[in-house]
Amino acid sequence: MTTAMTTAMMAVALASTLFLGSRTARATEIRTVARTLGEGYMVRAPGPEGLLLSRRRLVQYINLGVYDLLQPRDAGERRRAHEDGQLRIVTSMRIRHDFGSYAREGQSQADLLVKQIDGRQIDIMFAYLEAENLRGMIDVRAGRQFEMSGLDWYAYDGAWLRLRTPVHLGLEAFGGFQVDGSALFGFPTFELDGTANTPADSKRSPMVGAAVSAVGIRWLDARLAYRRTFSPASLNEKILNDDGSAGLAGAVDQEFVSLTVAANAAKGQLSPYAALRYNLGTGRLDDVSVGLQIAYTPKHLLRAMYMRTRPVFDLDSIFNVFNLQAFEDARLVYQVGLGTRWTLAARGQFRFFRDATTAHLATAPEQKVRVGAGGGATASFRVRRFSARLDGQGIGGEGGLRLGGSLDTRTMVAWDRVALDGRLYAMRYRDEYSAVREGHSIAVQAGVNVQLWRGVHLAVLGEEMFTSFYTQAFRVFGALTADWTLRVGR
C-alpha cells in the first residue's frame, strides 16, 4: 500500500471516529462534484510521413468534501463559529484513459515517452483531513496535499502544522514524502523534471520544510518558506541502476527558499506584490515576479508586471550543468471602463534574452541583451444576457513574429439556463531561426452550456481549424458536471 493511501485512510478513519463518536453533532455538510470530460481530435506525428494519430480521451474527476464535522458550542447556532475551530475532509480523484491511436506503443525512446504521458489511469490529486483554528491558534492538515508558496509549487504525502501567534505571525512546519508520479495512485503533475525514465524516477524522497507567514492582517499576505527534498540511500536500497547494481546513493533533490508578499493599501487603490524562489542547490535565483496595480479612479486601472524565470531540474539531473539562460518578460496594461457596458484595455510587452560569456571557451556573445517587443488591445462589451470580447495582439523581434486576434461571445437564453458560446481566432507566426516554423492558423469554435438541473451542467464545444499544415482539423470537447451540497444530521 502506498504512503498516500495509508495517510488518506488514516485521515478518513480519524475524522469518522470524531464524527460518529459525537452524539450531539447537529449537522454535517457534504459536497460532491463529479465532472466527466471527453475530447476527440487528430494530432500530427513528427516525421516526413505526416501520420495522423487520433486522440479519444476520457477523464473523470470525483471530488468529495465533508465539512462541519465539529458540533456548534452554543445550542442556538446552526453552524459552529469560526473562532471555535472546525474539522473537514477534502478529497479529489482523477480517472483517465486514451482510447485513440495515440496510445499505441512506439519504439525505443518514443515508447517510453508515450507511456510516461498517457500510461496513467488513476490519480489521487489530494486527500487530507484539515483542522482549522483549534484552540484559536492551531491549523493542521494530514494526508496528500499540495502547496503554492509564491513561485514554489509542490505536492507531498504528510502533515502540515501552523501555530498562529498573538503578534500576527504564523509559524509553520511540514514534512512527509514527495508524491511519486510513477506509483499506482500517484500524481505526476509535480514530478521533478530531469530524471524521467531513469531509476531515480521511482525513488522515495522525504520532504521537510518550515515557514513564517503573516496571519490576521487584512491588508497583507506574506510568507517566507524553506523546503528541502532529499533521497536517503537507506530508503532506496532495492532500486536497480542501469548497470544492474542495487541501491541509489543518497542525494539532495531540491532545496529552495521562497518568498511571497502581496498588499492592499489606500483602500484598494494600490496593490503591489512580489514573489521569488531561490535555489540553494544551484546557488541562483530561479524565479522572480513583481507587479503593481493602481486603481487611481473607479474606472481607470494601471498594471505593471515583470517576470524572470529559468528551468528547474532535480539536482541529480545532468541538465543542471548546462548554461540555461533565464527568460524575462515585462508588461504594462492600462484599462478604462466606459459606462457599464464597455471596457477598453491596451498593453505593451517586452521580452529580454540575456547571453553571458561562456566561461570554458572564454567567448563573448555578439549581443548581451536581445529584445522582443509588442503589444495589444482589448475591447469588452457586456449587457444583461450578452457579452463579447475583441482582442488583437502582436510581438516581434527576438524569438520571431506573432500576430493574432480573437473574437469571443456568450449569449444567455432560455431563462439563463442555456449559454451559447462562439469564438473566432487567427494567428500568423514566423520563427527567425527555422523556416519550418512559419505559417498561419484560423479557427472557428461553437459551443453550448446547458443547465440540465440545479447543479448539473452539460457543455459541448466544437472547433474547426485550418492551418499551414492541416487542410482541416476538427476537434470536439464535452463536459458533464454534477455539483451537489447537502447537510445531514439534526
Side-chain angles (χ1 to χ4, degrees):
M1 183 176 297
T2 63
T3 305
M5 293 296 295
T6 302
T7 308
M9 291 180 62
M10 291 177 60
V12 173
L14 176 59
S16 302
T17 302
L18 293 174
F19 173 55
L20 297 177
S22 180
R23 297 184 178 180
T24 58
R26 295 291 184 255
T28 295
E29 184 174 285
I30 300 176
R31 182 182 181 186
T32 62
V33 179
R35 182 175 292 112
T36 302
L37 308 177
E39 58 181 332
Y41 59 94
M42 306 294 290
V43 60
R44 186 177 182 179
E49 301 85 3
L51 179 64
L52 292 177
L53 303 177
S54 64
R55 299 213 72 171
R56 304 290 184 266
R57 297 199 293 184
L58 182 66
V59 183
Q60 175 77 51
Y61 289 90
I62 303 174
N63 297 350
L64 173 64
V66 185
Y67 305 90
D68 295 347
L69 288 172
L70 298 182
Q71 64 176 359
R73 287 189 173 181
D74 297 334
E77 292 182 336
R78 297 187 62 185
R79 292 178 179 267
R80 186 180 177 95
H82 174 73
E83 56 269 18
D84 294 334
Q86 195 48 266
L87 193 67
R88 64 182 68 94
I89 300 174
V90 185
T91 65
S92 178
M93 183 176 67
R94 176 175 64 187
I95 305 173
R96 56 194 172 109
H97 188 68
D98 194 326
F99 299 93
S101 57
Y102 188 84
R104 294 182 303 177
E105 293 186 356
Q107 297 179 357
S108 63
Q109 294 300 320
D111 180 16
L112 299 176
L113 179 61
V114 171
K115 287 184 176 179
Q116 180 186 354
I117 294 176
D118 287 303
R120 305 196 49 78
Q121 289 188 342
I122 302 177
D123 303 322
I124 294 183
M125 318 278 289
F126 51 83
Y128 58 86
L129 169 70
E130 182 177 34
E132 182 182 22
N133 205 33
L134 299 181
R135 296 188 177 273
M137 58 188 299
I138 299 175
D139 302 322
V140 180
R141 284 197 303 266
R144 170 162 297 178
Q145 51 196 296
F146 64 89
E147 185 67 61
M148 294 180 290
S149 177
L151 299 174
D152 189 22
W153 302 350
Y154 51 93
Y156 65 99
D157 299 321
W160 169 85
L161 171 68
R162 180 174 66 180
L163 175 65
R164 287 184 273 113
T165 67
V167 293
H168 297 291
L169 283 180
L171 305 179
E172 305 176 30
F174 54 91
F177 285 86
Q178 173 192 291
V179 175
D180 183 4
S182 62
L184 175 60
F185 297 101
F187 184 20
T189 301
F190 295 93
E191 188 78 30
L192 300 183
D193 291 328
T195 59
N197 303 322
T198 66
D201 195 25
S202 58
K203 62 187 176 184
R204 299 194 66 188
S205 301
M207 189 190 70
V208 294
V212 178
S213 58
V215 294
I217 304 178
R218 301 184 62 179
W219 58 271
L220 179 64
D221 182 12
R223 187 173 188 262
L224 175 64
Y226 166 81
R227 178 172 71 91
R228 177 188 174 99
T229 304
F230 56 101
S231 303
S234 57
L235 296 180
N236 300 288
E237 296 178 346
K238 298 181 179 180
I239 295 180
L240 296 178
N241 295 296
D242 294 331
D243 58 1
S245 61
L248 292 178
V252 176
D253 303 314
Q254 287 186 332
E255 192 170 16
F256 292 120
V257 172
S258 61
L259 172 67
T260 177
V261 179
N264 192 341
K267 297 181 179 180
Q269 293 182 325
L270 191 64
S271 301
Y273 70 88
L276 60 86
R277 179 170 64 171
Y278 184 80
N279 193 330
L280 294 173
T282 58
R284 64 191 181 195
L285 188 63
D286 286 329
D287 299 288
V288 178
S289 177
V290 295
L292 175 64
Q293 177 174 294
I294 304 175
Y296 49 92
T297 73
K299 296 184 177 181
H300 297 266
L301 187 69
L302 183 66
R303 290 193 298 267
M305 298 165 282
Y306 169 79
M307 178 188 71
R308 179 180 180 273
T309 183
R310 73 171 71 223
V312 176
F313 302 99
D314 189 322
L315 294 177
D316 285 340
S317 173
I318 193 174
F319 290 108
N320 289 295
V321 303
F322 295 101
N323 187 21
L324 300 173
Q325 299 300 324
F327 169 78
E328 297 177 73
D329 185 280
R331 303 186 185 188
L332 184 65
V333 180
Y334 173 72
Q335 179 178 307
V336 57
L338 303 179
T340 59
R341 298 183 176 183
W342 286 94
T343 301
L344 304 179
R347 61 187 181 274
Q349 179 182 3
F350 295 90
R351 299 182 298 180
F352 304 96
F353 303 86
R354 302 181 187 273
D355 290 334
T357 300
T358 305
H360 61 283
L361 297 178
T363 58
E366 296 181 1
Q367 289 181 287
K368 291 187 177 181
V369 181
R370 293 167 288 130
V371 181
T378 301
S380 301
F381 176 79
R382 180 184 294 272
V383 290
R384 171 66 178 83
R385 292 183 174 177
F386 176 78
S387 62
R389 184 177 184 270
L390 179 64
D391 182 84
Q393 57 181 312
I395 189 168
E398 183 66 22
L401 176 67
R402 301 290 187 275
L403 293 174
S406 63
L407 173 63
D408 300 83
T409 65
R410 164 161 283 195
T411 305
M412 304 298 299
V413 297
W415 302 278
D416 292 342
R417 289 180 175 269
V418 179
L420 304 177
D421 298 322
R423 187 170 193 245
L424 172 67
Y425 72 89
M427 177 66 70
R428 175 76 171 90
Y429 54 91
R430 185 183 71 246
D431 193 297
E432 61 179 332
Y433 296 111
S434 174
V436 178
R437 300 175 184 173
E438 180 177 356
H440 68 274
S441 62
I442 302 174
V444 179
Q445 293 180 350
V448 59
N449 190 314
V450 183
Q451 180 182 344
L452 301 178
W453 196 258
R454 182 175 298 179
V456 181
H457 289 259
L458 173 66
V460 179
L461 176 67
E463 177 190 75
E464 183 64 88
M465 183 170 63
F466 308 91
T467 76
S468 303
F469 304 99
Y470 297 97
T471 56
Q472 66 178 55
F474 179 76
R475 65 171 62 193
V476 62
F477 173 84
L480 176 63
T481 303
D483 187 345
W484 286 315
T485 300
L486 64 148
R487 294 185 67 82
V488 296
R490 292 182 299 169

